[in-house]
Amino acid sequence: MPDCIFCKIIAGEIPCKKVYEDELVLAFHDINPQAPVHILIIPKRHLPGAAELAPENSAAAARCLEAAAQIAKEQGLESFRVVTNNGKGAGQTVFHLHFHLLAGRDLTLQLA
Ligand code: 5GP
Ligand code: ZN
């Protein structure tokens, strides 16, 4: 996916502030944080978004959520939100599946 910014981050062509990495997923700080903690967790294999999830590719998505739990534990986050936007109408701007991990402010009123 030559034009995908997240694939370029995975390939090391664009730098990121890495938080976690394993064979299936990469997590890094969002460049434009919407909360004191705003980490993106992405599968290494390109998938446009949550709408494309299927039994044959969902293991990496599950690993993204496991990574969220591990990062939250490591960072001592008792409360956090994990969200993914699918489609322009939901606010998706990067069409490589990613989960936002948000924490560090009151998240009770807003959805993201
Ligand atoms: P979306 O709007 O698609 O749900 O989320 C895309 C997110 O990617 C946004 O929060 C945006 O700030 C972040 N983002 C876009 N480009 C880059 C980048 O080059 N580096 C990092 N670290 N985050 C990015
Ligand atoms: Zn990609």
Side-chain angles (χ1 to χ4, degrees):
M1 291 293 152
D3 287 332
C4 174
I5 198 157
F6 286 176
C7 282
K8 288 180 180 168
I9 287 175
I10 290 161
E13 293 165 17
I14 293 175
C16 72
K17 287 165 74 178
K18 194 196 297 183
V19 177
Y20 172 87
E21 182 172 19
D22 66 27
E23 77 280 13
L24 290 179
V25 312
L26 177 67
F28 50 94
H29 291 281
D30 195 290
I31 204 166
N32 182 24
Q34 302 301 307
V37 176
H38 189 171
I39 293 166
L40 299 173
I41 308 169
I42 71 176
K44 286 187 171 175
R45 187 173 148 202
H46 182 91
L47 203 64
E52 282 73 30
L53 282 170
E56 60 273 18
N57 60 29
S58 60
R63 184 69 67 81
C64 287
L65 297 177
E66 291 170 31
Q70 185 176 324
I71 293 163
K73 197 173 180 184
E74 282 168 7
Q75 302 204 1
L77 306 173
E78 204 171 297
S79 301
F80 60 89
R81 173 169 295 152
V82 177
V83 64
T84 187
N85 299 320
N86 188 87
K88 283 196 175 87
Q92 187 176 10
T93 58
V94 177
F95 290 83
H96 179 130
L97 177 64
H98 53 281
F99 296 88
H100 299 258
L101 171 60
L102 298 151
R105 66 165 163 82
D106 183 1
L107 294 163
T108 54
L109 296 178
Q110 308 95 330
L111 280 175

